[in-house]
Amino acid sequence: DGEQKYSPSAQVFIDPNGNVEVLSTHEQILDETGMTFLGSVFPARKVYRKEIMEHAFNMGQTLASKGICGMFSADFMVAINENNVEIFLIEINLRKGGTTHPYQTAKRVTDSNFDHITGYLMDKSKNKIRYISNDNVVKPSLKNIKIENLLELAKKANLLFDSKTNSGVIFHMLQAMPEFGKLGYTIIARSDKKIGLLEKS
């Protein structure tokens, strides 16, 4: 129970030598039931981001001691009552997850690295990189739009990712659009305000 409840997650990588690296934290975007993953916001909220990173690192060390290597994600529930923050581990997924693709995409296209102090991706100019992703945009009207037309519309509206500003939209799962009216996106920017403007567009 909590006045405010959130569903953050963390990604961790364990190399073959047992070295543990926290890669990211996210706020998970869930459907109205709270059970289905739709997308994510990077990074997780500041009020508990550092603690989640510490928990994820400790989990990684424990798993590494048991011979586990590769990527895993840890899902949490957070309950906040006044100034009291309670963090509960829900599950550990020993695999790539729903936050892997947007993280790798944002990291590569912005040529940035994860800052373990702030919990942000930082580009070469030391700008903080944020993003929001959605794997489940489903609209029947999308079936009537050709992929090339969608990209052309986005280009004319100046929405597509621009490496000069390290902001914009990257679409994925476009092959599912003609048949299922479904697509995904990752919106990358240096500010929450910019992300909000791109998402509304």
Side-chain angles (χ1 to χ4, degrees), residues 29-44:
I29 302 173
L30 307 173
D31 69 357
E32 61 276 2
T33 68
M35 299 300 292
T36 301
F37 177 84
L38 300 179
S40 59
V41 178
F42 171 88

Side-chain angles (χ1 to χ4, degrees), residues 133-178:
S133 68
N134 192 324
D135 291 338
N136 290 278
V137 180
V138 182
K139 295 183 179 182
S141 58
L142 289 173
K143 293 182 181 181
N144 302 320
I145 303 176
K146 293 182 178 179
I147 294 174
E148 56 268 31
N149 290 346
L150 173 71
L151 295 176
E152 186 61 29
L153 286 169
K155 183 178 180 180
K156 287 182 178 179
N158 200 31
L159 295 177
L160 295 181
F161 181 80
D162 182 352
S163 59
K164 294 178 181 178
T165 61
N166 269 348
S167 66
V169 182
I170 297 176
F171 292 103
H172 61 276
M173 294 167 49
L174 288 176
Q175 295 297 329
M177 191 174 72

